[in-house]
């Protein structure tokens, strides 16, 4: 069951990143653990650099490297400062198709002192792969990362 998988993953990630304050190192292992355990199509981070998102640590096929604020699912999650779940990416206005295999997506922002500093972006090759369970646990993982680096 998905929730059970996430629960054990949370414990695994907690142990994995304990004491590590380097954001890139933490993002790298979180992306790897999530991707490996959950079997997603694409799992990774974009960091806020100036006025755009820049590709960070990820697992999966090559992806676009720069995304403007408000553009695509990632840029929208950044602009809104909240998680965005898209059941069918073809129905999302302005969706950035890094891969034609991607069918659904979830993007969770990470904060530092109230500002979005990065987003966690996960893609699936299945339609409507993400629900409130994913949102709940992925937001918890992002809160763990924030605590490590602040
Ligand atoms: N589809 C995303 C772009 C990033 S790739 O999926 C990895 C978007 O619309 O923001």
């Amino acid at each position: 069951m998905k929730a059970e998988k996430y629960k054990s993953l949370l414990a695994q990630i907690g142990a994995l990143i304990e004491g590590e304050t380097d954001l890139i190192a933490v993002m790298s292992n979180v992306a790897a653990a999530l991707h490996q355990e959950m079997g997603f199509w694409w799992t990774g981070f974009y960091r806020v650099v100036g006025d755009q998102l820049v590709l960070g640590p990820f697992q999966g096929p090559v992806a676009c490297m720069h995304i403007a604020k408000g553009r695509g699912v990632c840029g929208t999650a950044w602009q809104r400062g909240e998680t965005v779940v898209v059941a069918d990416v073809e129905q999302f206005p302005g969706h950035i198709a890094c891969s034609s295999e991607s069918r659904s997506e979830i993007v969770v922002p990470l904060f530092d002192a109230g500002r979005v500093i990065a987003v966690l972006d996960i893609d699936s090759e299945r339609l409507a792969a993400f629900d409130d369970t994913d949102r709940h646990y992925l937001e918890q993982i992002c809160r763990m990362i924030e605590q490590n680096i602040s």
Side-chain angles (χ1 to χ4, degrees), residues 5-25:
K5 264 194 190 178
Y6 272 119
K7 275 184 204 159
S8 73
L9 194 56
L10 234 61
Q12 188 191 330
I13 287 174
L16 198 62
I17 69 175
E18 196 189 345
E20 180 54 66
T21 57
D22 186 280
L23 183 58
I24 300 290

Side-chain angles (χ1 to χ4, degrees), residues 20 23 26 33 44 60 78 85 91-92 98 106 118 120 122-123 128 143:
E20 180 54 66
L23 183 58
V26 168
W78 174 20
V85 180
Q91 303 302 317
F92 189 88
C98 290
I106 183 168
L120 168 61
I122 301 177
D123 289 41
R143 300 297 83 82

